[in-house]
């Protein structure tokens, strides 16, 4: 276990250092080509900021995981499945590309949603499936729910795309999404390590390292934004981890893991969609009805709002860890 923990601390540090170095480069590229965020009534920023910080997050993550996985494959100091790591990296790459193209070209929400569902199908076809769910903790008289193949496909696509967009939706205040991502990915990493799922632990701690490095530039007052490229990449990677980490050796998913780790963005998304449905508004176009908007409107400062939402995320993660260990 000492070797495994040391390896994960190393991957966290490598991802942190690479991302920390790459953020100023991404900022310089964004400034040179005018890739900056727009100002509108939904946003609290008064100045335009470069919005391709996700480029640094992704590259820091991608290079650290790929390099580390290849090195261990050669030296065999930590036994992981190199092919599975590579497949997960490719999936995350394509989600990053959806977001970064939107940052540069402003894709319509419908196009982004369609591309997201197509990529989520490839994940389902590979075996990242929402099908056997352990709900014994609810004490309903039965322990498992097993979905037929067609329902598994529908629920998996909705989950993967839904979580991806939930993370994108909470990226509304300086440091909010990146800080929450550090907490959530670290939680997944701890559980994966406990379950000896070193591939998922590796991805989790690399993501935590990259997001933590970015948070240094993104906490109020932000110097750069992650943009949709960063939010889509982080969101989809967390969505993948939420299904992979939660499964036991019998391929049964403990639903407490994704539900509590992603509690804040899931509740925020569910609430927003219910309100939009009741008001007969589009479910996919943005508005100012998220939890961070509500806290701000109730005279909380931006920093206080972010810290409150951090606290909610930490509390739900600690509740999860306490309940399963």
């Amino acid at each position: 276990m000492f070797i495994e923990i040391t390896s994960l601390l190393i991957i966290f540090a490598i991802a942190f250092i690479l991302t920390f170095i790459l953020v100023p480069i991404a900022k310089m590229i964004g400034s040179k080509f005018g890739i900056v965020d727009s100002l509108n009534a939904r946003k609290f920023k008064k100045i335009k900021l470069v919005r391709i910080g996700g480029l640094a997050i992704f590259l820091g993550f991608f290079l650290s995981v790929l390099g580390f996985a290849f090195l261990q494959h050669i030296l065999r100091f930590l036994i992981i499945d190199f092919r599975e790591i590579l497949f997960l990296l490719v999936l995350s790459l394509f989600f990053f590309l959806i977001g970064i193209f939107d940052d540069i070209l402003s894709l319509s929400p419908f196009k982004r949603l369609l591309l997201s569902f197509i990529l989520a199908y490839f994940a389902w076809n590979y075996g990242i499936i929402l099908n056997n769910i352990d709900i014994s903790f609810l004490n309903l008289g039965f322990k498992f729910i097993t979905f037929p193949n067609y329902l598994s496909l529908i629920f998996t696509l909705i989950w993967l795309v839904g979580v991806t967009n939930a993370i994108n939706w909470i990226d509304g205040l300086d440091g909010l999404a990146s800080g929450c991502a550090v907490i959530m990915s670290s939680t997944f990493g701890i559980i994966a390590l406990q379950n000896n799922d070193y591939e998922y632990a590796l991805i989790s701690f690399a993501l935590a390292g990259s997001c933590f490095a970015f948070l240094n530039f993104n906490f109020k007052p932000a110097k750069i934004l992650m943009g949709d490229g960063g939010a889509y990449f982080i969101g989809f990677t967390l969505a993948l981890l939420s299904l992979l980490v939660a499964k036991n050796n019998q391929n049964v998913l403990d639903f407490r893991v994704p539900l509590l780790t992603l509690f804040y963005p899931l509740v925020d998304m569910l609430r927003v969609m219910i309100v939009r449905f009741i008001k007969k508004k589009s479910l996919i176009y943005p508005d100012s009805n998220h939890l961070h908007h509500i806290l701000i409107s109730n005279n909380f400062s931006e920093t206080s709002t972010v810290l409150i939402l951090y606290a909610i995320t930490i509390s739900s993660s600690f509740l999860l860890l306490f309940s399963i260990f």
Side-chain angles (χ1 to χ4, degrees):
M1 182 63 74
F2 175 78
I3 294 176
E4 287 80 2
I5 294 175
T6 302
S7 298
L8 295 174
L9 291 175
I10 291 172
I11 192 67
F12 178 94
I14 293 172
F16 180 94
I17 293 168
L18 285 175
T19 304
F20 198 89
I21 293 170
L22 288 166
V23 169
I25 298 174
K27 184 179 179 182
M28 181 180 64
I29 294 171
S31 297
K32 181 176 180 179
F33 293 99
I35 309 172
V36 296
D37 199 38
S38 60
L39 302 178
N40 58 53
R42 293 188 303 107
K43 301 175 181 179
F44 301 99
K45 294 178 292 297
K46 301 296 186 291
I47 59 172
K48 292 184 178 182
L49 296 173
V50 169
R51 63 177 183 179
I52 57 168
L55 178 63
I57 299 173
F58 174 75
L59 287 177
F61 166 88
F62 186 85
L63 294 174
S64 61
V65 172
L66 192 63
F68 193 88
F70 180 74
L71 183 63
Q72 80 79 37
H73 183 69
I74 300 299
L75 301 180
R76 297 189 177 279
F77 58 86
L78 178 65
I79 303 303
I80 61 173
D81 188 337
F82 184 77
R83 291 169 299 178
E84 182 169 15
I85 289 283
L86 188 60
F87 179 78
L88 297 178
L89 287 179
V90 170
L91 278 177
S92 294
L93 166 63
F94 279 109
F95 261 88
F96 165 73
L97 290 175
I98 293 174
I100 201 73
F101 276 120
D102 181 54
D103 289 327
I104 298 171
L105 303 175
S106 296
L107 301 177
S108 71
F110 177 77
K111 288 181 180 178
R112 280 182 277 142
L113 202 60
L114 177 61
L115 290 170
S116 297
F117 275 115
I118 292 171
L119 289 174
Y121 170 77
F122 283 108
W124 177 85
N125 195 51
Y126 178 76
I128 301 170
I129 298 172
L130 183 60
N131 54 355
N132 300 315
I133 301 178
D134 180 358
I135 57 167
S136 57
F137 62 94
L138 294 176
N139 296 318
L140 297 175
F142 52 94
K143 294 184 177 181
F144 307 107
I145 296 178
T146 301
F147 300 124
N149 220 33
Y150 72 95
L151 282 181
S152 169
L153 172 61
I154 293 171
F155 291 147
T156 302
L157 297 190
I158 291 174
W159 179 262
L160 292 176
V161 176
V163 170
T164 301
N165 281 277
I167 300 300
N168 192 29
W169 285 9
I170 67 170
D171 185 29
L173 293 178
D174 293 347
L176 180 54
S178 52
C180 287
V182 173
I183 300 165
M184 293 184 285
S185 54
S186 298
T187 303
F188 285 138
I190 293 169
I191 296 171
L193 178 62
Q194 177 68 23
N195 295 338
N196 298 322
D197 292 325
Y198 299 124
E199 294 86 358
Y200 311 145
L202 185 73
I203 290 174
S204 298
F205 283 106
L207 181 61
S210 292
C211 290
F212 191 48
F214 182 75
L215 184 60
N216 285 270
F217 301 90
N218 186 235
F219 198 80
K220 185 177 177 65
K223 301 175 182 65
I224 190 171
L225 306 176
M226 69 169 64
D228 285 344
Y232 267 59
F233 157 65
I234 293 170
F236 183 70
T237 305
L238 289 172
L240 286 178
L241 289 170
S242 72
L243 297 184
L244 295 170
V245 171
K247 288 194 174 182
N248 61 23
N249 294 331
Q250 287 74 45
N251 206 34
V252 176
L253 185 144
D254 184 343
F255 201 60
R256 292 173 300 176
V257 175
L259 189 64
L260 289 174
T261 307
L262 302 170
F263 179 77
Y264 157 52
L266 290 177
V267 168
D268 182 62
M269 169 171 269
L270 182 61
R271 181 195 164 280
V272 166
M273 293 192 74
I274 290 173
V275 171
R276 288 178 184 176
F277 179 78
I278 292 173
K279 294 183 176 180
K280 298 181 179 179
K281 293 183 177 181
S282 170
L283 297 181
I284 61 174
Y285 281 87
D287 58 22
S288 302
N289 198 34
H290 295 279
L291 290 175
H292 58 269
H293 290 118
I294 294 172
L295 288 171
I296 294 288
S297 66
N298 280 279
N299 298 319
F300 285 93
S301 69
E302 292 182 42
T303 300
S304 296
T305 297
V306 170
L307 293 177
I308 288 170
L309 296 173
Y310 282 176
I312 291 172
T313 305
I314 291 171
S315 298
S316 60
S317 293
F318 268 114
L319 178 60
L320 169 66
L321 296 174
F322 179 78
S323 66
I324 63 178
F325 289 147

